[in-house]
PDB file of all heavy atoms in Angstrom:
ATOM      1  N   ASN A   1       0.859  -1.159  -0.010  1.00 51.00           N
ATOM      2  CA  ASN A   1      -0.028  -0.009  -0.048  1.00 51.00           C
ATOM      3  C   ASN A   1       0.853   1.216  -0.064  1.00 51.00           C
ATOM      4  O   ASN A   1       2.056   1.244   0.271  1.00 51.00           O
ATOM      5  CB  ASN A   1      -0.941   0.034   1.292  1.00 51.00           C
ATOM      6  CG  ASN A   1      -0.272   0.024   2.558  1.00 51.00           C
ATOM      7  OD1 ASN A   1       0.643   0.810   2.745  1.00 51.00           O
ATOM      8  ND2 ASN A   1      -0.606  -0.760   3.432  1.00 51.00           N
ATOM      9  N   ILE A   2       0.393   2.331  -0.182  1.00 48.00           N
ATOM     10  CA  ILE A   2       1.088   3.608  -0.432  1.00 48.00           C
ATOM     11  C   ILE A   2       1.746   4.082   0.860  1.00 48.00           C
ATOM     12  O   ILE A   2       2.954   4.607   0.665  1.00 48.00           O
ATOM     13  CB  ILE A   2       0.171   4.750  -0.946  1.00 48.00           C
ATOM     14  CG1 ILE A   2       1.050   6.008  -1.449  1.00 48.00           C
ATOM     15  CG2 ILE A   2      -0.825   5.117   0.068  1.00 48.00           C
ATOM     16  CD1 ILE A   2       0.253   6.961  -2.117  1.00 48.00           C
ATOM     17  N   VAL A   3       1.163   3.822   1.989  1.00 47.00           N
ATOM     18  CA  VAL A   3       1.865   4.201   3.233  1.00 47.00           C
ATOM     19  C   VAL A   3       3.131   3.418   3.475  1.00 47.00           C
ATOM     20  O   VAL A   3       4.264   4.038   3.678  1.00 47.00           O
ATOM     21  CB  VAL A   3       0.905   3.953   4.413  1.00 47.00           C
ATOM     22  CG1 VAL A   3       1.593   4.253   5.663  1.00 47.00           C
ATOM     23  CG2 VAL A   3      -0.441   4.880   4.345  1.00 47.00           C
ATOM     24  N   SER A   4       3.128   2.103   3.308  1.00 48.00           N
ATOM     25  CA  SER A   4       4.380   1.388   3.509  1.00 48.00           C
ATOM     26  C   SER A   4       5.382   1.556   2.377  1.00 48.00           C
ATOM     27  O   SER A   4       6.555   1.599   2.644  1.00 48.00           O
ATOM     28  CB  SER A   4       4.130  -0.212   3.528  1.00 48.00           C
ATOM     29  OG  SER A   4       3.436  -0.583   2.258  1.00 48.00           O
ATOM     30  N   THR A   5       4.891   1.937   1.168  1.00 46.00           N
ATOM     31  CA  THR A   5       5.878   2.171   0.090  1.00 46.00           C
ATOM     32  C   THR A   5       6.544   3.630   0.312  1.00 46.00           C
ATOM     33  O   THR A   5       7.846   3.659   0.248  1.00 46.00           O
ATOM     34  CB  THR A   5       5.065   2.321  -1.208  1.00 46.00           C
ATOM     35  OG1 THR A   5       4.465   1.114  -1.490  1.00 46.00           O
ATOM     36  CG2 THR A   5       5.978   2.726  -2.414  1.00 46.00           C
ATOM     37  N   VAL A   6       5.832   4.626   0.724  1.00 49.00           N
ATOM     38  CA  VAL A   6       6.487   5.800   1.041  1.00 49.00           C
ATOM     39  C   VAL A   6       7.424   5.877   2.184  1.00 49.00           C
ATOM     40  O   VAL A   6       8.567   6.386   2.133  1.00 49.00           O
ATOM     41  CB  VAL A   6       5.366   6.908   1.297  1.00 49.00           C
ATOM     42  CG1 VAL A   6       5.997   8.309   1.792  1.00 49.00           C
ATOM     43  CG2 VAL A   6       4.681   7.293  -0.079  1.00 49.00           C
ATOM     44  N   ALA A   7       7.064   5.057   3.247  1.00 49.00           N
ATOM     45  CA  ALA A   7       7.802   5.017   4.515  1.00 49.00           C
ATOM     46  C   ALA A   7       9.238   4.375   4.155  1.00 49.00           C
ATOM     47  O   ALA A   7      10.279   4.557   4.712  1.00 49.00           O
ATOM     48  CB  ALA A   7       7.042   4.256   5.518  1.00 49.00           C
ATOM     49  N   GLY A   8       9.103   3.329   3.249  1.00 53.00           N
ATOM     50  CA  GLY A   8      10.348   2.643   2.891  1.00 53.00           C
ATOM     51  C   GLY A   8      11.205   3.350   1.868  1.00 53.00           C
ATOM     52  O   GLY A   8      12.453   2.795   1.717  1.00 53.00           O
ATOM     53  N   LEU A   9      10.811   4.322   1.166  1.00 52.00           N
ATOM     54  CA  LEU A   9      11.501   4.963   0.162  1.00 52.00           C
ATOM     55  C   LEU A   9      12.858   5.455   0.607  1.00 52.00           C
ATOM     56  O   LEU A   9      13.920   5.258  -0.047  1.00 52.00           O
ATOM     57  CB  LEU A   9      10.803   6.105  -0.506  1.00 52.00           C
ATOM     58  CG  LEU A   9       9.817   5.585  -1.655  1.00 52.00           C
ATOM     59  CD1 LEU A   9       8.940   6.678  -2.159  1.00 52.00           C
ATOM     60  CD2 LEU A   9      10.536   4.902  -2.847  1.00 52.00           C
ATOM     61  N   PRO A  10      12.992   6.339   1.710  1.00 56.00           N
ATOM     62  CA  PRO A  10      14.259   6.999   2.035  1.00 56.00           C
ATOM     63  C   PRO A  10      15.289   5.900   2.384  1.00 56.00           C
ATOM     64  O   PRO A  10      16.372   5.880   1.919  1.00 56.00           O
ATOM     65  CB  PRO A  10      13.853   7.774   3.281  1.00 56.00           C
ATOM     66  CG  PRO A  10      12.416   8.035   3.120  1.00 56.00           C
ATOM     67  CD  PRO A  10      11.800   6.809   2.548  1.00 56.00           C
ATOM     68  N   GLU A  11      14.871   4.866   3.145  1.00 61.00           N
ATOM     69  CA  GLU A  11      15.876   3.906   3.621  1.00 61.00           C
ATOM     70  C   GLU A  11      16.504   3.074   2.477  1.00 61.00           C
ATOM     71  O   GLU A  11      17.600   2.830   2.338  1.00 61.00           O
ATOM     72  CB  GLU A  11      15.268   2.966   4.694  1.00 61.00           C
ATOM     73  CG  GLU A  11      15.050   3.635   6.072  1.00 61.00           C
ATOM     74  CD  GLU A  11      14.319   2.702   6.989  1.00 61.00           C
ATOM     75  OE1 GLU A  11      13.145   2.481   6.896  1.00 61.00           O
ATOM     76  OE2 GLU A  11      14.904   2.231   7.937  1.00 61.00           O
ATOM     77  N   GLY A  12      15.419   2.619   1.538  1.00 61.00           N
ATOM     78  CA  GLY A  12      15.777   1.861   0.376  1.00 61.00           C
ATOM     79  C   GLY A  12      16.773   2.653  -0.432  1.00 61.00           C
ATOM     80  O   GLY A  12      17.828   2.135  -1.048  1.00 61.00           O
ATOM     81  N   LEU A  13      16.486   3.809  -0.748  1.00 69.00           N
ATOM     82  CA  LEU A  13      17.253   4.808  -1.661  1.00 69.00           C
ATOM     83  C   LEU A  13      18.591   5.038  -1.065  1.00 69.00           C
ATOM     84  O   LEU A  13      19.585   4.939  -1.792  1.00 69.00           O
ATOM     85  CB  LEU A  13      16.517   6.160  -1.916  1.00 69.00           C
ATOM     86  CG  LEU A  13      17.180   7.180  -2.594  1.00 69.00           C
ATOM     87  CD1 LEU A  13      17.457   6.642  -4.115  1.00 69.00           C
ATOM     88  CD2 LEU A  13      16.481   8.503  -2.589  1.00 69.00           C
ATOM     89  N   MET A  14      18.633   5.335   0.239  1.00 71.00           N
ATOM     90  CA  MET A  14      19.893   5.674   0.866  1.00 71.00           C
ATOM     91  C   MET A  14      20.938   4.486   0.923  1.00 71.00           C
ATOM     92  O   MET A  14      22.055   4.645   0.804  1.00 71.00           O
ATOM     93  CB  MET A  14      19.745   6.182   2.277  1.00 71.00           C
ATOM     94  CG  MET A  14      18.992   7.502   2.333  1.00 71.00           C
ATOM     95  SD  MET A  14      18.249   8.074   3.867  1.00 71.00           S
ATOM     96  CE  MET A  14      19.756   8.502   4.689  1.00 71.00           C
ATOM     97  N   TYR A  15      20.365   3.263   1.095  1.00 78.00           N
ATOM     98  CA  TYR A  15      21.104   2.078   1.034  1.00 78.00           C
ATOM     99  C   TYR A  15      21.772   1.790  -0.231  1.00 78.00           C
ATOM    100  O   TYR A  15      22.978   1.593  -0.399  1.00 78.00           O
ATOM    101  CB  TYR A  15      20.338   0.769   1.429  1.00 78.00           C
ATOM    102  CG  TYR A  15      21.210  -0.493   1.486  1.00 78.00           C
ATOM    103  CD1 TYR A  15      21.986  -0.801   2.554  1.00 78.00           C
ATOM    104  CD2 TYR A  15      21.034  -1.371   0.341  1.00 78.00           C
ATOM    105  CE1 TYR A  15      22.743  -2.010   2.476  1.00 78.00           C
ATOM    106  CE2 TYR A  15      21.864  -2.515   0.418  1.00 78.00           C
ATOM    107  CZ  TYR A  15      22.645  -2.734   1.488  1.00 78.00           C
ATOM    108  OH  TYR A  15      23.469  -3.936   1.415  1.00 78.00           O
ATOM    109  N   SER A  16      21.001   1.896  -1.361  1.00 81.00           N
ATOM    110  CA  SER A  16      21.444   1.784  -2.678  1.00 81.00           C
ATOM    111  C   SER A  16      22.488   2.769  -2.995  1.00 81.00           C
ATOM    112  O   SER A  16      23.543   2.375  -3.642  1.00 81.00           O
ATOM    113  CB  SER A  16      20.321   1.930  -3.651  1.00 81.00           C
ATOM    114  OG  SER A  16      19.255   0.836  -3.434  1.00 81.00           O
ATOM    115  N   ILE A  17      22.360   4.072  -2.664  1.00 83.00           N
ATOM    116  CA  ILE A  17      23.282   5.067  -2.914  1.00 83.00           C
ATOM    117  C   ILE A  17      24.702   4.797  -2.225  1.00 83.00           C
ATOM    118  O   ILE A  17      25.708   4.927  -2.930  1.00 83.00           O
ATOM    119  CB  ILE A  17      22.727   6.452  -2.510  1.00 83.00           C
ATOM    120  CG1 ILE A  17      21.659   6.882  -3.497  1.00 83.00           C
ATOM    121  CG2 ILE A  17      23.833   7.481  -2.475  1.00 83.00           C
ATOM    122  CD1 ILE A  17      20.862   8.091  -2.976  1.00 83.00           C
ATOM    123  N   GLN A  18      24.619   4.419  -0.947  1.00 85.00           N
ATOM    124  CA  GLN A  18      25.817   4.170  -0.183  1.00 85.00           C
ATOM    125  C   GLN A  18      26.719   3.114  -0.788  1.00 85.00           C
ATOM    126  O   GLN A  18      27.841   2.996  -0.834  1.00 85.00           O
ATOM    127  CB  GLN A  18      25.628   4.089   1.298  1.00 85.00           C
ATOM    128  CG  GLN A  18      24.854   2.866   1.820  1.00 85.00           C
ATOM    129  CD  GLN A  18      25.703   1.778   2.304  1.00 85.00           C
ATOM    130  OE1 GLN A  18      26.821   1.764   2.054  1.00 85.00           O
ATOM    131  NE2 GLN A  18      25.080   0.808   2.929  1.00 85.00           N
ATOM    132  N   VAL A  19      26.035   2.017  -1.270  1.00 89.00           N
ATOM    133  CA  VAL A  19      26.599   0.850  -1.848  1.00 89.00           C
ATOM    134  C   VAL A  19      27.255   1.372  -3.132  1.00 89.00           C
ATOM    135  O   VAL A  19      28.477   1.007  -3.433  1.00 89.00           O
ATOM    136  CB  VAL A  19      25.551  -0.322  -2.169  1.00 89.00           C
ATOM    137  CG1 VAL A  19      26.318  -1.364  -3.043  1.00 89.00           C
ATOM    138  CG2 VAL A  19      25.160  -0.871  -0.813  1.00 89.00           C
ATOM    139  N   ASP A  20      26.620   2.106  -3.952  1.00 91.00           N
ATOM    140  CA  ASP A  20      27.169   2.590  -5.197  1.00 91.00           C
ATOM    141  C   ASP A  20      28.351   3.445  -5.026  1.00 91.00           C
ATOM    142  O   ASP A  20      29.475   3.351  -5.713  1.00 91.00           O
ATOM    143  CB  ASP A  20      26.148   3.438  -6.042  1.00 91.00           C
ATOM    144  CG  ASP A  20      26.595   3.689  -7.456  1.00 91.00           C
ATOM    145  OD1 ASP A  20      26.768   2.813  -8.261  1.00 91.00           O
ATOM    146  OD2 ASP A  20      26.868   4.886  -7.682  1.00 91.00           O
ATOM    147  N   GLN A  21      28.400   4.281  -4.062  1.00 92.00           N
ATOM    148  CA  GLN A  21      29.520   5.243  -3.720  1.00 92.00           C
ATOM    149  C   GLN A  21      30.661   4.354  -3.141  1.00 92.00           C
ATOM    150  O   GLN A  21      31.850   4.642  -3.374  1.00 92.00           O
ATOM    151  CB  GLN A  21      29.122   6.203  -2.719  1.00 92.00           C
ATOM    152  CG  GLN A  21      28.098   7.346  -3.211  1.00 92.00           C
ATOM    153  CD  GLN A  21      28.752   8.072  -4.400  1.00 92.00           C
ATOM    154  OE1 GLN A  21      29.774   8.811  -4.332  1.00 92.00           O
ATOM    155  NE2 GLN A  21      28.104   7.935  -5.554  1.00 92.00           N
ATOM    156  N   ASP A  22      30.285   3.313  -2.390  1.00 95.00           N
ATOM    157  CA  ASP A  22      31.402   2.450  -1.810  1.00 95.00           C
ATOM    158  C   ASP A  22      32.040   1.765  -3.107  1.00 95.00           C
ATOM    159  O   ASP A  22      33.288   1.651  -3.038  1.00 95.00           O
ATOM    160  CB  ASP A  22      30.672   1.400  -1.044  1.00 95.00           C
ATOM    161  CG  ASP A  22      31.587   0.726  -0.131  1.00 95.00           C
ATOM    162  OD1 ASP A  22      32.738   0.889  -0.148  1.00 95.00           O
ATOM    163  OD2 ASP A  22      31.111  -0.262   0.787  1.00 95.00           O
ATOM    164  N   ILE A  23      31.345   1.261  -4.065  1.00 96.00           N
ATOM    165  CA  ILE A  23      31.958   0.623  -5.222  1.00 96.00           C
ATOM    166  C   ILE A  23      32.876   1.660  -5.913  1.00 96.00           C
ATOM    167  O   ILE A  23      33.994   1.321  -6.378  1.00 96.00           O
ATOM    168  CB  ILE A  23      30.954   0.143  -6.093  1.00 96.00           C
ATOM    169  CG1 ILE A  23      30.120  -1.035  -5.545  1.00 96.00           C
ATOM    170  CG2 ILE A  23      31.494  -0.302  -7.477  1.00 96.00           C
ATOM    171  CD1 ILE A  23      28.980  -1.503  -6.356  1.00 96.00           C
ATOM    172  N   SER A  24      32.455   2.906  -6.014  1.00 95.00           N
ATOM    173  CA  SER A  24      33.253   3.903  -6.638  1.00 95.00           C
ATOM    174  C   SER A  24      34.635   4.033  -5.989  1.00 95.00           C
ATOM    175  O   SER A  24      35.691   4.117  -6.591  1.00 95.00           O
ATOM    176  CB  SER A  24      32.668   5.253  -6.739  1.00 95.00           C
ATOM    177  OG  SER A  24      31.567   5.204  -7.625  1.00 95.00           O
ATOM    178  N   CYS A  25      34.530   4.131  -4.709  1.00 97.00           N
ATOM    179  CA  CYS A  25      35.760   4.248  -3.721  1.00 97.00           C
ATOM    180  C   CYS A  25      36.703   3.039  -4.053  1.00 97.00           C
ATOM    181  O   CYS A  25      37.864   3.152  -4.087  1.00 97.00           O
ATOM    182  CB  CYS A  25      35.481   4.286  -2.416  1.00 97.00           C
ATOM    183  SG  CYS A  25      34.780   6.108  -1.868  1.00 97.00           S
ATOM    184  N   ARG A  26      36.125   1.758  -4.160  1.00 97.00           N
ATOM    185  CA  ARG A  26      36.867   0.528  -4.205  1.00 97.00           C
ATOM    186  C   ARG A  26      37.570   0.352  -5.538  1.00 97.00           C
ATOM    187  O   ARG A  26      38.411  -0.458  -5.708  1.00 97.00           O
ATOM    188  CB  ARG A  26      36.015  -0.593  -3.808  1.00 97.00           C
ATOM    189  CG  ARG A  26      35.530  -0.456  -2.306  1.00 97.00           C
ATOM    190  CD  ARG A  26      34.884  -1.834  -1.884  1.00 97.00           C
ATOM    191  NE  ARG A  26      34.067  -1.724  -0.583  1.00 97.00           N
ATOM    192  CZ  ARG A  26      33.699  -2.587   0.163  1.00 97.00           C
ATOM    193  NH1 ARG A  26      34.199  -3.865  -0.065  1.00 97.00           N
ATOM    194  NH2 ARG A  26      32.986  -2.354   1.157  1.00 97.00           N
ATOM    195  N   THR A  27      36.995   1.030  -6.614  1.00 97.00           N
ATOM    196  CA  THR A  27      37.521   0.822  -7.923  1.00 97.00           C
ATOM    197  C   THR A  27      38.490   1.879  -8.375  1.00 97.00           C
ATOM    198  O   THR A  27      39.476   1.699  -8.965  1.00 97.00           O
ATOM    199  CB  THR A  27      36.408   0.749  -8.998  1.00 97.00           C
ATOM    200  OG1 THR A  27      35.463   1.957  -8.822  1.00 97.00           O
ATOM    201  CG2 THR A  27      35.583  -0.468  -8.833  1.00 97.00           C
ATOM    202  N   ILE A  28      38.210   3.178  -7.876  1.00 97.00           N
ATOM    203  CA  ILE A  28      39.199   4.320  -8.200  1.00 97.00           C
ATOM    204  C   ILE A  28      40.235   4.296  -7.139  1.00 97.00           C
ATOM    205  O   ILE A  28      41.461   4.411  -7.392  1.00 97.00           O
ATOM    206  CB  ILE A  28      38.426   5.650  -8.158  1.00 97.00           C
ATOM    207  CG1 ILE A  28      37.320   5.672  -9.078  1.00 97.00           C
ATOM    208  CG2 ILE A  28      39.453   6.746  -8.379  1.00 97.00           C
ATOM    209  CD1 ILE A  28      37.723   5.452 -10.561  1.00 97.00           C
ATOM    210  N   GLY A  29      39.886   3.840  -5.896  1.00 98.00           N
ATOM    211  CA  GLY A  29      40.885   3.849  -4.878  1.00 98.00           C
ATOM    212  C   GLY A  29      41.246   2.381  -4.743  1.00 98.00           C
ATOM    213  O   GLY A  29      40.803   1.472  -5.434  1.00 98.00           O
ATOM    214  N   ARG A  30      42.141   2.027  -3.788  1.00 98.00           N
ATOM    215  CA  ARG A  30      42.474   0.618  -3.517  1.00 98.00           C
ATOM    216  C   ARG A  30      41.894   0.223  -2.120  1.00 98.00           C
ATOM    217  O   ARG A  30      42.313   0.720  -1.074  1.00 98.00           O
ATOM    218  CB  ARG A  30      44.092   0.600  -3.460  1.00 98.00           C
ATOM    219  CG  ARG A  30      44.497  -0.944  -3.149  1.00 98.00           C
ATOM    220  CD  ARG A  30      46.034  -0.938  -3.143  1.00 98.00           C
ATOM    221  NE  ARG A  30      46.503  -2.273  -2.748  1.00 98.00           N
ATOM    222  CZ  ARG A  30      47.821  -2.674  -2.769  1.00 98.00           C
ATOM    223  NH1 ARG A  30      48.677  -1.775  -3.148  1.00 98.00           N
ATOM    224  NH2 ARG A  30      48.165  -3.863  -2.502  1.00 98.00           N
ATOM    225  N   CYS A  31      40.983  -0.647  -2.221  1.00 98.00           N
ATOM    226  CA  CYS A  31      40.337  -1.152  -0.988  1.00 98.00           C
ATOM    227  C   CYS A  31      41.249  -1.966  -0.123  1.00 98.00           C
ATOM    228  O   CYS A  31      41.706  -3.057  -0.504  1.00 98.00           O
ATOM    229  CB  CYS A  31      39.012  -1.870  -1.402  1.00 98.00           C
ATOM    230  SG  CYS A  31      38.071  -2.347   0.180  1.00 98.00           S
ATOM    231  N   THR A  32      41.456  -1.623   1.114  1.00 98.00           N
ATOM    232  CA  THR A  32      42.290  -2.483   2.101  1.00 98.00           C
ATOM    233  C   THR A  32      41.376  -3.256   3.011  1.00 98.00           C
ATOM    234  O   THR A  32      41.890  -4.253   3.614  1.00 98.00           O
ATOM    235  CB  THR A  32      43.174  -1.509   2.903  1.00 98.00           C
ATOM    236  OG1 THR A  32      42.381  -0.713   3.611  1.00 98.00           O
ATOM    237  CG2 THR A  32      44.113  -0.661   1.927  1.00 98.00           C
ATOM    238  N   TYR A  33      40.163  -2.824   3.131  1.00 97.00           N
ATOM    239  CA  TYR A  33      39.196  -3.521   3.980  1.00 97.00           C
ATOM    240  C   TYR A  33      37.707  -3.138   3.636  1.00 97.00           C
ATOM    241  O   TYR A  33      37.535  -1.976   3.418  1.00 97.00           O
ATOM    242  CB  TYR A  33      39.419  -3.396   5.458  1.00 97.00           C
ATOM    243  CG  TYR A  33      38.427  -4.153   6.333  1.00 97.00           C
ATOM    244  CD1 TYR A  33      38.577  -5.535   6.619  1.00 97.00           C
ATOM    245  CD2 TYR A  33      37.257  -3.542   6.953  1.00 97.00           C
ATOM    246  CE1 TYR A  33      37.647  -6.118   7.305  1.00 97.00           C
ATOM    247  CE2 TYR A  33      36.371  -4.162   7.533  1.00 97.00           C
ATOM    248  CZ  TYR A  33      36.522  -5.475   7.786  1.00 97.00           C
ATOM    249  OH  TYR A  33      35.556  -6.277   8.466  1.00 97.00           O
ATOM    250  N   GLY A  34      36.911  -4.069   3.720  1.00 96.00           N
ATOM    251  CA  GLY A  34      35.524  -3.768   3.480  1.00 96.00           C
ATOM    252  C   GLY A  34      34.692  -5.125   3.302  1.00 96.00           C
ATOM    253  O   GLY A  34      35.226  -6.072   2.852  1.00 96.00           O
ATOM    254  N   ALA A  35      33.477  -5.024   3.748  1.00 93.00           N
ATOM    255  CA  ALA A  35      32.620  -6.231   3.529  1.00 93.00           C
ATOM    256  C   ALA A  35      32.307  -6.503   2.080  1.00 93.00           C
ATOM    257  O   ALA A  35      32.445  -5.578   1.287  1.00 93.00           O
ATOM    258  CB  ALA A  35      31.266  -6.119   4.303  1.00 93.00           C
ATOM    259  N   ALA A  36      32.045  -7.801   1.791  1.00 92.00           N
ATOM    260  CA  ALA A  36      31.594  -8.127   0.359  1.00 92.00           C
ATOM    261  C   ALA A  36      30.348  -7.231   0.029  1.00 92.00           C
ATOM    262  O   ALA A  36      29.477  -7.094   0.817  1.00 92.00           O
ATOM    263  CB  ALA A  36      31.289  -9.614   0.315  1.00 92.00           C
ATOM    264  N   LEU A  37      30.261  -6.689  -1.168  1.00 90.00           N
ATOM    265  CA  LEU A  37      29.334  -5.847  -1.695  1.00 90.00           C
ATOM    266  C   LEU A  37      28.216  -6.743  -2.324  1.00 90.00           C
ATOM    267  O   LEU A  37      26.996  -6.365  -2.279  1.00 90.00           O
ATOM    268  CB  LEU A  37      29.819  -4.844  -2.569  1.00 90.00           C
ATOM    269  CG  LEU A  37      30.821  -3.900  -1.938  1.00 90.00           C
ATOM    270  CD1 LEU A  37      31.514  -2.995  -2.882  1.00 90.00           C
ATOM    271  CD2 LEU A  37      29.982  -2.914  -0.888  1.00 90.00           C
ATOM    272  N   ASP A  38      28.564  -7.711  -3.118  1.00 87.00           N
ATOM    273  CA  ASP A  38      27.691  -8.554  -3.714  1.00 87.00           C
ATOM    274  C   ASP A  38      28.354  -9.907  -4.160  1.00 87.00           C
ATOM    275  O   ASP A  38      29.512  -9.991  -3.927  1.00 87.00           O
ATOM    276  CB  ASP A  38      26.858  -8.048  -5.038  1.00 87.00           C
ATOM    277  CG  ASP A  38      27.695  -7.693  -6.057  1.00 87.00           C
ATOM    278  OD1 ASP A  38      28.684  -8.401  -6.438  1.00 87.00           O
ATOM    279  OD2 ASP A  38      27.527  -6.479  -6.683  1.00 87.00           O
ATOM    280  N   HIS A  39      27.607 -10.870  -4.710  1.00 84.00           N
ATOM    281  CA  HIS A  39      28.274 -12.191  -4.958  1.00 84.00           C
ATOM    282  C   HIS A  39      29.133 -12.132  -6.271  1.00 84.00           C
ATOM    283  O   HIS A  39      29.775 -13.193  -6.506  1.00 84.00           O
ATOM    284  CB  HIS A  39      27.126 -13.222  -5.032  1.00 84.00           C
ATOM    285  CG  HIS A  39      26.370 -13.550  -3.930  1.00 84.00           C
ATOM    286  ND1 HIS A  39      27.042 -14.066  -2.768  1.00 84.00           N
ATOM    287  CD2 HIS A  39      25.171 -13.212  -3.472  1.00 84.00           C
ATOM    288  CE1 HIS A  39      26.155 -14.186  -1.771  1.00 84.00           C
ATOM    289  NE2 HIS A  39      24.960 -13.748  -2.147  1.00 84.00           N
ATOM    290  N   GLU A  40      28.972 -11.102  -6.958  1.00 87.00           N
ATOM    291  CA  GLU A  40      29.844 -10.972  -8.224  1.00 87.00           C
ATOM    292  C   GLU A  40      31.229 -10.262  -8.018  1.00 87.00           C
ATOM    293  O   GLU A  40      32.242 -10.887  -8.388  1.00 87.00           O
ATOM    294  CB  GLU A  40      29.058 -10.261  -9.379  1.00 87.00           C
ATOM    295  CG  GLU A  40      29.792 -10.138 -10.628  1.00 87.00           C
ATOM    296  CD  GLU A  40      28.968  -9.560 -11.763  1.00 87.00           C
ATOM    297  OE1 GLU A  40      27.953  -8.940 -11.497  1.00 87.00           O
ATOM    298  OE2 GLU A  40      29.401  -9.716 -12.949  1.00 87.00           O
ATOM    299  N   ILE A  41      31.189  -9.211  -7.316  1.00 89.00           N
ATOM    300  CA  ILE A  41      32.511  -8.395  -7.205  1.00 89.00           C
ATOM    301  C   ILE A  41      33.050  -8.633  -5.883  1.00 89.00           C
ATOM    302  O   ILE A  41      34.230  -8.179  -5.561  1.00 89.00           O
ATOM    303  CB  ILE A  41      32.324  -6.902  -7.418  1.00 89.00           C
ATOM    304  CG1 ILE A  41      31.265  -6.342  -6.340  1.00 89.00           C
ATOM    305  CG2 ILE A  41      31.753  -6.693  -8.952  1.00 89.00           C
ATOM    306  CD1 ILE A  41      31.014  -4.745  -6.589  1.00 89.00           C
ATOM    307  N   LEU A  42      32.334  -9.257  -4.862  1.00 90.00           N
ATOM    308  CA  LEU A  42      32.860  -9.498  -3.531  1.00 90.00           C
ATOM    309  C   LEU A  42      33.323  -8.238  -2.817  1.00 90.00           C
ATOM    310  O   LEU A  42      32.551  -7.258  -2.943  1.00 90.00           O
ATOM    311  CB  LEU A  42      33.948 -10.521  -3.528  1.00 90.00           C
ATOM    312  CG  LEU A  42      33.504 -11.947  -4.284  1.00 90.00           C
ATOM    313  CD1 LEU A  42      34.763 -12.906  -4.345  1.00 90.00           C
ATOM    314  CD2 LEU A  42      32.338 -12.586  -3.486  1.00 90.00           C
ATOM    315  N   ASP A  43      34.426  -8.204  -2.215  1.00 94.00           N
ATOM    316  CA  ASP A  43      34.878  -7.034  -1.509  1.00 94.00           C
ATOM    317  C   ASP A  43      35.817  -6.045  -2.237  1.00 94.00           C
ATOM    318  O   ASP A  43      36.164  -5.104  -1.783  1.00 94.00           O
ATOM    319  CB  ASP A  43      35.466  -7.492  -0.191  1.00 94.00           C
ATOM    320  CG  ASP A  43      36.742  -8.233  -0.292  1.00 94.00           C
ATOM    321  OD1 ASP A  43      37.292  -8.390  -1.465  1.00 94.00           O
ATOM    322  OD2 ASP A  43      37.263  -8.744   0.708  1.00 94.00           O
TER     323      ASP A  43
END
């Protein structure tokens, strides 16, 4: 329903954004530590 959808938008959007920015840092920079991001690229 619209109430649960709107309430979940900020958290879902913010999580996706921080993962994408994390990937940028790990590819332009050299990652020395970090949790696995997904099953394809790992950490």
